[in-house]
Structure formats: C-alpha cells, structure tokens
C-alpha cells in the first residue's frame, strides 16, 4: 500500500470518529455549554484560570504528546504495519478518545479535581487513596524519565582530557538555548495576553515569528555547555518554579506556543508523505504473533499484550487522564470545548502515530537491520529523508534538526506538567471528603502546602532520575496502561452514579485490564528467570515485587469498582 493513501484513509477515519462518535458521547453524557466550569466558579489566578480554547488545546496537546505517539508505533512496528494501524485507529476512537474525554468531563463536574477524587465520590475513600498512591508513584517515574531525557538532550559531550567536545555538543547546546528562549517568550506572551489584553491572534502571529527567530539564534549562538548532572539540577529548579507559578504566566503560553512546533512538524510530515508517497510495503504487513525482528537485540515478546502496552499515547494512555483531570479541567472555559480538546487531542495523537509508522516504513531496512533504532532518530530520519527527496539535501538536514527539536520541546513540556500533576495528587491524598486546602491544620496543612508538596515531588523525581529509574522504566508501559484501565473504571462508576450511560466504558476497561495484568505476569515470569540464572538479582527482585504489587493494587481497585457498579445497577433496577 502507498503510505500517502494509508495516511489519508486514516485521517478520514479519525475525522469521522470525532464527528459522529464524539458527538454521540457528548449527548449521552449530557455535556452542557451553559453550565459554569470550575475555571470560573473557583478561579484563583494560579491553578484555576479560564483559557481560550486554542490556548488550552495547545497546553493539553503539548502535555499529553511528549515522545509517546512517536516511540510507541515505531517500536511496535516489529509486528507489521497492519496491527499497528488497526490498534491506533480503533484504540484512538473507541478507547483513548473515550478515556480522555470522559476523564476531563468527570473532573470538570467534580470541581476540577483529579480522577482520584472522582473515584472517592463514586467508589470510596479507600479506592481514592490507592489510586492516588499509584498515580503519584507513576508521575514520579515520569518526572525522573523526562528529566533525564531533557538533560541528555541538553548535555555536553566531553573528550578524554575532560574538555568539552564543542563539535559533538553543538546540537545539544542549540536545543538547550532554544528551549530557554521558549521559556522567555512564554512569559512575555502570558504577560501581554493576560495582563495587557493583547489580541490572541496578533500575539500568536508575533509569537510564531519570534519562535522562528529564537530557533535561528539558538542554532547559531549557543554558549552554554553543561554536563548531565548540572542540567538535571537546573531542570529540578525549573519544574519547582514552573509547577507553583500561575498557569497564565508560563504553563498556558509556553505549551500554546510549543504546540505550533508540533503542528508545524505534522504539516511537514504530511507534505513529505504525500509528496514522496512511498510504498509502506517496504515493511511487512504482519510479521507474526511474536517479535522476531528485535532491531535493538531485545524482543518485545508476544503481540498480545506487547502491542497494546507499547503503543500507548497513540491509542490510549493513562497519563492522559491525569493531564485532563489535573491541569486541563481547571482551565476549561466552557464544556463545549471539552470534545475538541480531549477527544480531538487524542485523535491528533493517533494521526501522529500513523505518521510515525510511515516514517519507520521509509527507512525500514535501517531499522530492522539495527542501524537506526532510536525512535526519535527513526522518526526524524524517515520524514526528513522524504522531504530531502522532494526539496534537496539541504532541506533534509534542516528538517531533521527541527524534528528532533520539536520532540525534545515536548518532553520538557510534559516534564513540568507531570510535576504540577504530582503536586495536585500529593495534596489531594491528605484531604478527606468535602475538605479543601483552607480546612487543613497541623501536619496536613504543611504537607498540602503547594511549595512543600512540589519540593517533595521534585527532590524525589530528580533523585530517581539521577540514580536507578532506568532499572524500573520497563514497568512504566504496563503501569501507564493499568492507569488507563483504572481511569476508565472511575469514569464509568461516576457516570453510573449520576445516572448517565456508561456502557461504552465496559469493554475498553476490561480489555486494558487484561492487557496490563497479562503484561505484568510476563514481567514477573521473566524476572524470576533472571533471578534463577543469577543475573541482575537485586533489581530482578525489585521489578518482580513492583509488578506483583501493581497486580494486587489493580485487583483491589477493580473489586471496589465492580461493587460500586453493582450497587448502582441494583438501585436503578429498584427504581
């Protein structure tokens, strides 16, 4: 099949899903454009701040994107382009879109609180605390991982003598400099739009021009060369400040401006794919039910559950529910904006996943042969090669750098969003039903203080990023998808409690639960094998224990959720 045809058909299917299924969900759930949202009823100028739909879309999309919709499809391509395409399209429309939209809507109707509080309201306090512990630990891992990714993207390379290798470090130094410029631009944008009432359209046009200027300057002037540890500490200070400052001065404008990088990246990708229209049959349509390609030297194992765990953000991701119910819900201006932002944002990620699949197909020989296996390099290499074929080698070189820059920018975006979300989770854990921050006293008042909660999160996240997070990162995929299953259960239980149709959640929840528990069981089995062989015994035990605890946690929460659903069904039947 031609890659351009696959892309066009996929985009058409996603658009149809958005229009018809998304509209049907809105009607079933009772989305009401006339109902005041928490950003208005609880506006505080810090976390609860109404945002124009395009601005909030930029924040939400930038936060959920990261490198997920790029990495997952490229890694899962070892099973062939047909299973990847099918899961991205089916998963995006009927799993991820429902999950993200439902999480945002439920949170908006619960004062902008997290999914943990939604669980408390519909299932119980015990379930809320279990979920928050799980979500908080997952977010710590995200902070550690994305902090490490950013620091590695910025760090300098050193010669054996200890001196900086300026030639090898130039690209990283440019990325760091441009990222710093982005932060300054965001602060200026937020100030003029929210404090000087500058027209959004004019400010956006100027902002895009300044982004181009910042990129040009950063590519040609990048005097900062620092090592990995220093950049990790700087990232720690940055997210410490970013997660407690008012969202209008940094979070909203930075993510909004950053989103234009991703939009531009996707436009370039579409131009390359349609203009070059290569055959996607350069990679197999289906390789089998087991990963025998293993380009990195390590097999993903069986298609089930590996395909559904590896492809996260492009189809469904638990992290999305935390963003939707954490920062996005507190800034939603009107309930009618929820569908384009949450459901639409998810389907745009699905489109990016299809683009990533086209990119790996274009350089399949290099990928399958183990020559180019890092997903970001595969993505940038494949798409820039298409553009190079259309516009020349100069275009290939420039677009490669721009694509790498765009991916790294979204890792930084996801980093400080994850920190703010973790802060919300930490604070909510200590609150009892009906309480707010103003009601806290004693030790709970200290622990729920925004600065204390953020400092604890940053210290733990950065420390983990500088030590052993990579040893347990392999568990993140299953943990993230387990989070998605629990998010689906939470929204289903809440909708049932308020008397709305929740049946569209049942199968996605059950399927993702089986997927993640199967994956965790396989993980335990593989770790027992390592322990028995005397290989990496300590970390093998740690990983096996964590996987077992995740299974126990999931079962406990599911039992509580099913009990709540049964009670709702019995009450409905009695009436």
């Amino acid at each position: 099949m031609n890659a351009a045809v696959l892309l066009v058909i996929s985009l058409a299917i996603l658009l149809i899903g958005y229009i018809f299924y998304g509209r049907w969900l809105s009607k079933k759930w009772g989305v009401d454009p006339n109902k005041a949202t928490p950003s208005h009823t609880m506006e505080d100028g810090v976390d609860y701040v109404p945002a124009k739909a395009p601005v909030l879309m930029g924040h939400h999309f930038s936060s959920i994107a990261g490198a997920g919709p790029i990495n997952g499809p490229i890694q899962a391509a070892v099973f062939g382009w047909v299973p990847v395409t099918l899961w991205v399209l089916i998963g995006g429309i009927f799993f991820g879109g429902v999950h993200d939209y439902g999480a945002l809507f439920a949170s908006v109707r619960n004062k902008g609180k997290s999914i943990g509080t939604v669980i408390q309201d519909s299932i119980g306090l015990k379930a809320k605390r279990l979920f928050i512990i799980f979500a908080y630990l997952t977010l710590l891992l995200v902070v550690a991982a994305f902090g490490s990714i950013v620091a590695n993207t910025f760090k300098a390379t050193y010669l054996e003598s200890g001196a900086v290798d300026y030639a090898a470090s130039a690209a990283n130094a440019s990325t760091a400099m441009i990222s710093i410029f982005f932060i300054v631009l965001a602060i200026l944008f937020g100030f003029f739009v929210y404090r000087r009432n500058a027209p959004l359209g004019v400010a956006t046009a100027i902002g895009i021009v300044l982004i181009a200027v910042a990129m040009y300057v950063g590519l040609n002037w990048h005097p900062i060369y620092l090592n990995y540890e220093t950049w990790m500490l700087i990232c720690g200070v940055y997210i410490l400040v970013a997660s407690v400052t008012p969202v209008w001065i940094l979070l909203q404008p930075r993510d909004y401006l950053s989103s234009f990088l991703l939009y531009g990246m996707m436009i370039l990708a579409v131009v390359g794919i349609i203009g070059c229209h290569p055959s996607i049959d350069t990679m197999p349509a289906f390789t089998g039910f087991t990963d025998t390609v293993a380009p990195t030297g390590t097999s993903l194992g069986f298609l089930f559950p590996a395909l559904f765990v590896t492809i996260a953000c492009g189809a469904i991701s638990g992290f999305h529910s935390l963003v939707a119910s954490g920062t996005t819900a507190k800034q939603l201006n009107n309930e009618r904006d929820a569908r384009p932002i949450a459901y639409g944002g998810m389907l745009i990620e699905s489109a990016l996943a299809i683009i990533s699949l086209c990119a790996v197909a274009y350089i399949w020989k290099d990928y399958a042969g183990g020559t180019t296996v890092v997903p970001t390099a595969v993505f940038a290499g494949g798409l820039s090669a298409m553009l190079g074929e259309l516009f020349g080698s100069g275009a290939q070189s420039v677009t490669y750098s721009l694509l790498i820059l765009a991916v790294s920018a979204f890792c930084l975006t996801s980093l400080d969003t994850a920190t703010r979300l973790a802060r919300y989770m930490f604070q909510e854990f200590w609150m009892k039903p009906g309480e707010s921050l103003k009601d806290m006293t004693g030790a709970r008042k200290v622990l729920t203080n925004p600065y204390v909660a953020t400092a604890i999160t940053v210290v733990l996240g950065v420390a983990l990023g500088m030590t052993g997070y990579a040893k347990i990162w392999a568990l993140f995929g299953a943990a993230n998808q387990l989070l998605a299953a629990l998010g689906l259960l939470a929204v289903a239980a809440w909708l049932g409690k308020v008397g709305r149709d929740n049946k569209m959640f049942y199968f996605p929840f059950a399927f993702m639960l089986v997927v993640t528990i199967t994956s965790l069981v396989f993980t335990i089995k593989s770790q027992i094998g390592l322990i028995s062989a005397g290989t990496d015994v300590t970390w093998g035990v740690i990983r096996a224990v964590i996987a077992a605890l995740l299974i126990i946690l999931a079962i406990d929460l599911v039992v509580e959720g099913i009990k709540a659903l049964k009670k709702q069904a019995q009450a409905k039947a009695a009436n």
Side-chain angles (χ1 to χ4, degrees), residues 151-152 155 158 226-236 462 466:
N152 274 309
K155 72 176 183 180
Y158 292 85
L226 303 172
N227 61 26
Y228 172 83
E229 290 75 17
T230 303
W231 276 120
M232 277 295 290
L233 293 175
I234 291 173
C235 283
V462 171
M466 296 178 72

Side-chain angles (χ1 to χ4, degrees), residues 545-563:
V545 169
I546 292 174
L549 289 175
L550 288 176
I551 292 174
I552 294 169
L553 170 67
I555 293 173
D556 195 356
L557 275 169
V558 168
V559 169
E560 294 292 322
I562 291 175
K563 285 180 181 178

